[in-house]
Amino acid sequence: KDAKGDKYCLAFTDWSELRKWDNNNNQEAILSTFDNYAQLVLNDANDFSGFVINPYGENLIFKKELVASLKVQKEERMRSKIYLGEPKELPSDLLEAVSNYIIELPNVNAAYYRLMLQANVQSHLIIVDVTEETNDTFDKIADIAFPFLDGKLFKLTTIDTDLGQDAIKNLDPFYKK
């Protein structure tokens, strides 16, 4: 609860943030998505005012009204058609930075690049051929890519998804083990 008595769901980005709240080494947690939090917050029976990410760190608050708006925006984007293509000029700095990272990973066999357009928003799309998917791999690729995005969004997927399969048709990888 906050000082006004409003109740919020708690969300933590990692174990160190969770332990700022409860420093119990036997603490258990579940991985949750925005959709899970939206369902909790938007269910009036729960009486939540929103959710807060890292309440004892960054303290990023998502009030109920914002959660509802983001949920609608996400649903609209998910319904919109996706267009895949190649840019006039490949983002060589981005692809080089990602290649330099994934060359060290034993679980990455190849990586492909496409430009993606969805709901009039351009994104860089990297499709990864992995033997074992880990969140750490994707998180680190996103961190490395961030300085090279040039105002575009960044999306990652694996080749075993429908989007991944569509995206790599007739495409050579920019990285191959």
Side-chain angles (χ1 to χ4, degrees), residues 12-24:
F12 303 95
T13 56
D14 56 41
W15 285 106
S16 66
E17 288 296 327
L18 175 68
R19 289 194 178 105
K20 289 178 185 176
W21 171 63
D22 185 353
N23 195 15
N24 178 352

Side-chain angles (χ1 to χ4, degrees), residues 143-163:
D143 289 344
I144 287 168
F146 184 76
F148 306 101
L149 299 183
D150 297 326
K152 291 181 181 71
L153 295 178
F154 183 70
K155 308 277 184 175
L156 279 165
T157 191
T158 58
I159 63 166
D160 60 347
T161 63
D162 290 340
L163 177 60

